[in-house]
Amino acid sequence: MRPFDQPIYVTRPLLPPLDALTARLGAVWDSGWLTNAGAQHDQLESRLRAHLDVPHLSLFNNGTMALTMALKALDLTGEVITTPFTFPATPHALLWNALTPVFADIDPVTMNIDPAAIEAAIGSKTSAILAVHVFGTPCDGTAIARIAARHGLRVVYDAAHAFGARMDETPIGTLGDVSMFSFHATKLFHCAEGGALTTGDAALKARFDLLRNFGIEGESTVSAPGLNGKMNEMDAALGLLVLDMVAEEKQQRAAIKAIYSRRFEPIDGITALRDVANFTSSQQYMAIRIDGNRFGVTRDEIYDRLRRHNVIARKYFAPLCSTFPHFENLPSARRENLPVAHRVVDEILCLPLYGALTPDTVERICDIVEGASFSCG
Ligand code: T4K
């Protein structure tokens, strides 16, 4: 099979018509107001609050800064239980708050942190749980809430992948004390760079807004050690236009995922991540697991073969965070403590998923994946 002429990436950003963006930027130019809670920012904040169906929302300049500020606002101390199977930003936000991550193993199906492993990891210094809705699949929020209540812990969700997801009609951003969303260009909804925190607690929302603006309360009062987490007007203007495109993009992505699922369903050794019951998906990633023993070809071989055909799949989240040099000496980072995560990270592959992919391209990508088995098996 011939390689694709152009690279097929794991995702492509939604791009509104350039003249629509130019018109919005015209309003920004006319106002002479480029950042620090301008009109675009305020409009996006209230539209996202409605879209995500959450009581309070604060915009940030990226998801990592938002998460770092969330942990600061909660005034956490000591140790925080988290997953090793996530993007580096998750445990790094803990380090920037002088908190020690305690890695707990993941569920073999959802790939989210396993509530039983959380419970086993709780110690005298534990102050919170930092869970990630991996690839947009919701964590077991009920079990996590029960554990947190029993041990007096705060709960923070990294919902970077879970924009617009719902569980039994519950908006994902209402779980826990606070949820973080990423609006990076690689996300379904994006502002080029951006992020948000959502919470049900008005006092926490006020704290987020203080911390993202250097801790400045008034012209002559600085009351907290804040940083610069503000979203600028250009990013907010882009976000307002992208938000109008999200519903159609989700439908297109659902159709593409259906093709992948149909093709992989009968194949022994390839498992497509399934949406859990009563769940509205964020349609963020098309993740598959490849069991090299059953399929006859390893994940890495398929990844390389896709690359040779100009398909740039991604091994999110390899390497495991617990293997980074700054974490590997933690007792919780030992391989024996994280057997499921170590297996999953060797099997995972995220395939291209974005609305502009044609069905023909998706079928060809499946052919390449399957062909790897035929040529080597
Ligand atoms: N928590 C979790 C669980 C996360 O996944 C992330 C971010 C965060 C926290 C932190 O949120 P932010 O601070 O980023 O808001 C990308 C993204 O940069 C990152 O936001 C994302 N997760 C992660 C899963 O993916 P890379 O290193 O894979 O990015 P990159 O540049 O290789 O892009 C991936 C592909 O996307 C490219 O091969 C092509 C395509 N692409 C990318 C960009 C930037 C485009 O087509 N256009 C573009 O402008 O991390």
Side-chain angles (χ1 to χ4, degrees):
M1 195 184 306
R2 267 190 340 110
F4 289 97
D5 295 334
Q6 300 295 324
I8 309 291
Y9 294 112
V10 70
T11 190
R12 304 284 10 227
L14 274 175
L15 294 174
L18 193 53
D19 53 355
L21 182 60
T22 309
R24 268 205 175 265
L25 292 181
V28 174
W29 259 231
D30 290 345
S31 74
W33 197 269
L34 300 185
T35 185
N36 292 10
Q40 308 290 319
H41 170 280
D42 288 357
Q43 207 181 322
L44 183 61
E45 212 168 69
S46 69
R47 279 197 61 198
L48 284 174
R49 190 170 57 237
H51 186 95
L52 295 176
D53 203 0
V54 292
H56 306 287
L57 182 144
S58 297
L59 284 174
F60 281 83
N61 49 8
N62 60 66
T64 307
M65 181 61 84
L67 186 58
T68 306
M69 300 281 101
L71 299 166
K72 186 77 185 164
L74 289 172
D75 231 351
L76 302 176
T77 56
E79 298 178 345
V80 174
I81 298 171
T82 193
T83 172
F85 189 63
T86 183
F87 199 61
T90 316
H92 287 178
L94 293 172
L95 279 198
W96 280 86
N97 277 282
L99 294 162
T100 305
V102 175
F103 293 111
D105 209 1
I106 61 173
D107 178 273
V109 176
T110 64
M111 298 179 267
N112 288 331
I113 194 165
D114 179 352
I118 294 177
E119 188 116 47
I122 292 172
S124 58
K125 295 187 193 147
T126 311
S127 61
I129 299 161
L130 171 52
V132 181
H133 304 299
V134 173
F135 304 136
T137 304
C139 292
D140 186 343
T142 310
I144 290 175
R146 214 179 294 126
I147 293 167
R150 203 158 43 231
H151 297 273
L153 306 177
R154 308 303 291 264
V155 179
V156 179
Y157 282 105
D158 177 333
H161 301 177
F163 186 83
R166 281 175 183 265
M167 190 65 219
D168 289 329
E169 292 309 308
T170 303
I172 203 106
T174 60
L175 298 179
D177 293 288
V178 48
S179 295
M180 177 279 281
F181 293 86
S182 165
F183 303 149
H184 182 259
T186 53
K187 300 298 183 293
L188 168 86
F189 167 74
H190 75 91
C191 303
E193 289 275 6
L197 294 178
T198 61
T199 180
D201 180 342
L204 257 187
K205 150 82 177 159
R207 188 87 183 144
F208 300 154
D209 293 353
L210 183 71
L211 288 173
R212 74 180 172 185
N213 189 32
F214 313 100
I216 297 176
E217 215 167 297
E219 224 175 314
S220 53
T221 316
V222 178
S223 59
L227 290 171
N228 184 352
K230 294 172 275 101
M231 178 181 280
N232 69 56
E233 288 292 272
M234 284 65 74
D235 284 350
L238 176 59
L240 282 164
L241 296 169
V242 171
L243 192 54
D244 291 334
M245 305 168 77
V246 159
E248 191 183 344
E249 173 75 8
K250 279 182 89 164
Q251 281 180 5
Q252 290 168 343
R253 289 185 180 203
I256 291 164
K257 278 171 82 174
I259 300 175
Y260 279 124
S261 298
R262 170 178 54 75
R263 289 288 303 266
F264 295 140
E265 181 73 41
I267 298 181
D268 188 35
I270 298 187
T271 313
L273 177 64
R274 281 179 180 282
D275 289 339
V276 294
N278 305 325
F279 171 60
T280 310
S281 169
S282 63
Q283 308 294 357
Q284 178 61 56
Y285 288 106
M286 178 65 218
I288 62 170
R289 299 256 304 272
I290 299 153
D291 178 335
N293 289 330
R294 276 164 51 214
F295 186 49
V297 183
T298 66
R299 185 275 314 273
D300 285 345
E301 288 169 300
I302 291 177
Y303 170 87
D304 291 341
R305 183 174 167 122
L306 285 165
R307 279 234 157 201
R308 287 197 298 278
H309 288 84
N310 221 358
V311 178
I312 320 298
R314 295 298 292 265
K315 305 175 196 176
Y316 293 130
F317 300 103
L320 274 189
C321 293
S322 49
T323 64
F324 299 169
H326 38 289
F327 294 132
E328 66 182 353
N329 292 323
L330 292 170
S332 66
R334 290 193 322 268
R335 196 184 172 95
E336 317 83 82
N337 188 45
L338 307 166
V340 182
H342 276 276
R343 175 161 184 205
V344 165
V345 84
D346 288 342
E347 295 184 349
I348 197 75
L349 194 62
C350 289
L351 297 175
L353 179 65
Y354 49 92
L357 276 177
T358 65
D360 181 56
T361 300
V362 180
E363 299 278 3
R364 280 182 64 195
I365 293 169
C366 296
D367 289 342
I368 295 165
V369 172
E370 288 182 30
S373 174
F374 303 145
S375 58
C376 308

